[in-house]
Amino acid sequence: MAKQYDVLFRLLLIGDSGVGKTCLLCRFTDNEFHSSHISTIGVDFKMKTIEVDGIKVRIQIWDTAGQERYQTITKQYYRRAQGIFLVYDISSERSYQHIMKWVSDVDEYAPEGVQKILIGNKADEEQKRQVGREQGQQLAKEYGMDFYETSACTNLNIKESFTRLTELVLQAHRKELDGVRTRASKELALAELEEDESRPEGPVNSSKTCWC
Amino acid sequence: MVVQAKKRELKEAQRRKKQLEERCRQEESIGNAVLTWNNEILPNWETMWCSRKVRDLWWQGIPPSVRGKVWSLAIGNELNITHELFHICLARAKERWRCFSAGGPDVDSEDAGFSAADREASLELIKLDISRTFPNLCIFQQGGPYHDMLHSVLGAYTCYRPDVGYVQGMSFIAAVLILNLDTADAFIAFSNLLNKPCQMAFFRVDHGLMLTYFAAFEVFFEENLPKLFTHFKKNSLTPDIYLIDWIFTLYSKSLPLDLACRIWDVFCRDGEEFLFRTALGILRLFEDILTRMDFIHVAQFLTRLPEDLPADEVFASIAAVQMQSRNKKWAQVLTALQRDSREMEKGSPSLRH
């Protein structure tokens, strides 16, 4: 039986309430779109396996609640992520303004070397637009991030942005990945062990290697 | 072949007959329960509610027609909220909505410290969340029959408790209450429910106290389901991953609504302990399959429980959960942990964030 994946890692979706984090995710993993979604409380989980550069990557995606009050809780999850989507809504100036605050939280709580990408969602709502595309590009440039305008509704740039962040994470961990290419039987669990700080010795499952 | 077909037909008929009988029995027992609640228990609430007989009947589920009344009585009204107070709070909320939608400045200086921008954000979030509360039922959304009631209860609460404000998850609790009570009574039950220690800890996101609740939960988890407990530990499946959603919405988002209402029934009777007991009941029910799953599958499973959970099996599983650990009850374990964490805070403040 072919093994299910070569690399496993974790991506996180953050941004204000109602910018469409859950919708982006549902479009990506299930190719579904519902205009009225149930609110996310705490954190929700999805997973998908994609192939990038001939490597089978299983990504776990953590979808967080956006309300400020919840951030005490969701910040605890930043340190478990290898890649983070910062999402705003192009029809909400406020959600765009808040990106700065989200970025500073990431800087404070996420591990060093975490890959970030900026998303301006709801690109289909052109008539309600409050944030210009250039503004998004400008902000992304300032923080050294890639930028996409997406629409979960029309399926614009969804696959592209998820694939891009995946590539970025892969690039950031190229050294460990070379190991995967040469020893094809190995699996790399980027996501697995960084939270087992209390465990004195390395991975229990010796068939998987962890870099963190 | 004909004989076989006939046999099948006969079997099918027998099955249908059985089903019908079962339904009749159920309806009859619900009918009887309604009579008992209305004629015997409710008129003598103070003396009867904690009797053995009532507790047993309660466990089997409160009939929907008396559910709201029983919940109100069991939750109580420690805060002494009157219908009048509700209408005052609602009037203030409406004033604010008008102010913000007109774009005018906020003239209310009474609770300074809660900036106009915060309040506006919170009003907008309520609006957004109402449309995302039980979207499948299509009754709370704009234009739906319960939309205004839900808006009223949540709006009035932010005026009644500006220090707590609106927190995501509240809309689900208010919605379940509205389905069982009229608006003012729903508001009274809502405010009193949120005022309970566990709910206050969560809705104010008192992280230290939440961690204490999780730690207490883990004591009983390990005691009841040691194998699964070890599996969760090994896979970094911390309780926050599934408990936050369950506790914030009192299971109304993750369980089918009729089953969630039955959980609420006993929660109203037994208090916060039952929320954690329910969590253990759910874990116990799925122990075998959960033990075979890795992190992401467990996380996905527990945040999206199967939609066809049979109530009887869930309750049987909850009943089998022992809420005693080394002769200590839930409240005792929680108090001891709270004391420990206070001492730790005093000793080395840097250890906690």
Side-chain angles (χ1 to χ4, degrees):
Chain A
M1 197 179 79
K3 68 190 153 96
Q4 288 180 300
Y5 60 90
D6 304 312
V7 188
L8 171 70
F9 62 67
R10 213 172 268 156
L11 305 180
L12 199 68
L13 282 154
I14 60 174
D16 281 9
S17 265
V19 298
K21 298 180 290 296
T22 306
C23 288
L24 284 175
L25 185 51
C26 280
R27 175 60 89 183
F28 175 63
T29 56
D30 306 323
N31 201 16
E32 277 176 9
F33 178 76
H34 309 277
S35 58
S36 189
H37 232 283
I38 201 158
S39 322
T40 306
I41 310 294
V43 58
D44 245 329
F45 303 89
K46 291 249 180 198
M47 146 189 113
K48 186 166 172 128
T49 307
I50 58 172
E51 203 167 310
V52 176
D53 289 342
I55 299 172
K56 278 189 209 135
V57 186
R58 170 166 291 179
I59 39 185
Q60 290 181 4
I61 306 145
W62 293 38
D63 175 21
T64 63
Q67 195 185 6
E68 200 165 342
R69 192 77 63 90
Y70 274 95
Q71 282 167 33
T72 328
I73 302 165
T74 47
K75 272 175 196 167
Q76 313 293 323
Y77 301 134
Y78 290 9
R79 68 186 172 84
R80 300 186 181 188
Q82 282 82 39
I84 297 183
F85 292 97
L86 291 125
V87 189
Y88 70 88
D89 165 2
I90 65 141
S91 68
S92 155
E93 170 76 24
R94 185 163 53 209
S95 73
Y96 170 77
Q97 295 293 349
H98 280 172
I99 289 292
M100 270 177 273
K101 193 186 57 64
W102 289 105
V103 171
S104 77
D105 282 351
V106 168
D107 288 344
E108 191 173 344
Y109 291 92
E112 217 172 297
V114 72
Q115 301 298 307
K116 291 170 292 204
I117 201 167
L118 183 66
I119 302 285
N121 191 36
K122 306 196 190 174
D124 56 293
E125 303 212 342
E126 199 52 62
Q127 67 291 1
K128 289 194 205 157
R129 184 188 279 275
Q130 289 182 3
V131 185
R133 172 192 283 274
E134 329 68 55
Q135 285 175 280
Q137 274 162 343
Q138 181 59 34
L139 191 66
K141 204 172 150 199
E142 255 170 66
Y143 290 115
M145 292 188 268
D146 280 21
F147 171 64
Y148 287 92
E149 279 201 349
T150 61
S151 164
C153 178
T154 62
N155 202 1
L156 172 74
N157 279 339
I158 303 294
K159 194 167 164 239
E160 288 78 359
S161 53
F162 276 86
T163 308
R164 181 64 190 144
L165 187 56
T166 305
E167 281 169 1
L168 288 170
V169 174
L170 287 176
Q171 276 168 21
H173 300 288
R174 186 168 291 147
K175 226 187 262 165
E176 297 90 329
L177 282 164
D178 285 343
V180 174
R181 285 216 177 88
T182 51
R183 291 162 294 161
S185 66
K186 282 228 168 184
E187 288 168 356
L188 190 66
L190 299 184
E192 215 153 69
L193 289 144
E194 78 274 24
E195 49 206 346
D196 294 347
E197 283 145 3
S198 54
R199 203 152 65 201
E201 64 265 290
V204 170
N205 184 347
S206 60
S207 74
K208 294 187 184 181
T209 320
C210 180
W211 54 276
C212 19
Chain B
M1 220 149 75
V2 180
V3 178
Q4 263 181 351
K6 275 233 168 96
K7 253 191 196 164
R8 254 205 311 275
E9 228 167 78
L10 198 68
K11 250 190 180 161
E12 178 61 18
Q14 277 172 342
R15 196 184 59 82
R16 248 180 278 153
K17 194 171 160 222
K18 236 181 168 173
Q19 233 174 14
L20 196 70
E21 280 171 4
E22 181 62 28
R23 235 193 21 229
C24 287
R25 241 197 323 272
Q26 270 175 3
E27 269 163 26
E28 199 185 311
S29 88
I30 291 174
N32 288 338
V34 171
L35 287 178
T36 314
W37 281 101
N38 270 328
N39 301 341
E40 292 176 40
I41 306 168
L42 289 173
N44 308 295
W45 180 256
E46 288 306 325
T47 50
M48 276 190 84
W49 79 271
C50 52
S51 70
R52 183 73 215 220
K53 180 189 158 195
V54 174
R55 287 179 65 85
D56 288 346
L57 197 61
W58 203 322
W59 179 270
Q60 288 154 28
I62 301 168
S65 61
V66 291
R67 186 165 257 153
K69 257 183 249 162
V70 177
W71 284 0
S72 280
L73 285 166
I75 293 167
N77 187 3
E78 249 188 342
L79 299 166
N80 290 315
I81 299 173
T82 57
H83 283 210
E84 202 190 348
L85 180 61
F86 165 65
H87 289 294
I88 293 170
C89 292
L90 181 58
R92 290 177 119 227
K94 284 188 171 159
E95 185 58 37
R96 248 167 227 173
W97 296 333
R98 248 197 312 279
C99 258
F100 282 123
S101 56
D106 189 30
V107 285
D108 193 343
S109 60
E110 211 171 289
D111 28 45
F114 307 101
S115 76
D118 278 0
R119 230 183 278 143
E120 191 186 353
S122 154
L123 291 180
E124 259 177 42
L125 189 54
I126 290 177
K127 224 167 93 191
L128 171 71
D129 269 358
I130 287 176
S131 69
R132 307 194 293 181
T133 305
F134 301 123
N136 300 339
L137 296 182
C138 300
I139 51 174
F140 294 106
Q141 285 60 41
Q142 188 85 47
Y146 290 91
H147 172 271
D148 292 350
M149 290 165 84
L150 185 52
H151 202 185
S152 298
V153 169
L154 295 172
Y157 185 76
T158 58
C159 289
Y160 173 64
R161 288 299 296 265
D163 58 323
V164 182
Y166 172 73
V167 183
Q168 292 192 300
M170 284 184 181
S171 64
F172 289 90
I173 297 184
V176 174
L177 289 168
I178 284 166
L179 290 174
N180 289 282
L181 288 161
D182 69 44
T183 318
D185 288 326
F187 175 76
I188 296 171
F190 182 73
S191 307
N192 279 284
L193 193 63
L194 295 193
N195 202 45
K196 308 222 175 263
C198 175
Q199 274 58 48
M200 260 301 134
F202 277 71
F203 280 106
R204 292 188 121 152
V205 193
D206 178 341
H207 198 234
L209 194 49
M210 284 169 73
L211 290 177
T212 309
Y213 273 102
F214 294 150
F217 168 77
E218 288 199 295
V219 168
F220 292 93
F221 187 178
E222 186 170 19
E223 187 92 17
N224 280 279
L225 307 161
K227 209 174 110 199
L228 190 64
F229 180 78
T230 313
H231 178 68
F232 274 31
K233 278 269 164 199
K234 223 181 345 199
N235 286 281
S236 308
L237 280 152
T238 46
D240 51 304
I241 283 175
Y242 46 96
L243 281 186
I244 283 177
D245 179 276
W246 293 356
I247 303 292
F248 267 101
T249 65
L250 302 175
Y251 296 95
S252 58
K253 183 170 161 263
S254 29
L255 292 179
L257 202 52
D258 51 343
L259 176 53
C261 284
R262 282 197 58 190
I263 302 292
W264 281 46
D265 289 345
V266 190
F267 163 60
C268 289
R269 188 191 80 174
D270 292 359
E272 63 184 36
E273 172 181 329
F274 190 71
L275 298 177
F276 296 94
R277 192 174 174 195
T278 299
L280 291 173
I282 293 170
L283 295 178
R284 190 181 167 280
L285 186 60
F286 296 109
E287 186 176 14
D288 289 341
I289 48 170
L290 289 172
T291 315
R292 275 176 277 143
M293 287 181 186
D294 63 359
F295 173 89
I296 190 68
H297 288 95
V298 172
Q300 278 187 303
F301 184 89
L302 293 179
T303 48
R304 254 177 306 268
L305 291 166
E307 273 159 34
D308 51 352
L309 274 179
D312 294 339
E313 278 178 42
V314 173
F315 270 84
S317 184
I318 296 172
V321 171
Q322 276 297 328
M323 287 310 266
Q324 284 227 358
S325 164
R326 299 198 186 91
N327 273 328
K328 277 194 185 148
K329 292 185 174 147
W330 169 263
Q332 291 168 306
V333 170
L334 188 70
T335 315
L337 285 166
Q338 264 175 298
R339 206 171 37 231
D340 289 354
S341 92
R342 266 198 300 271
E343 267 159 31
M344 209 164 89
E345 227 165 283
K346 261 189 252 158
S348 55
S350 62
L351 275 181
R352 301 182 67 81
H353 34 238

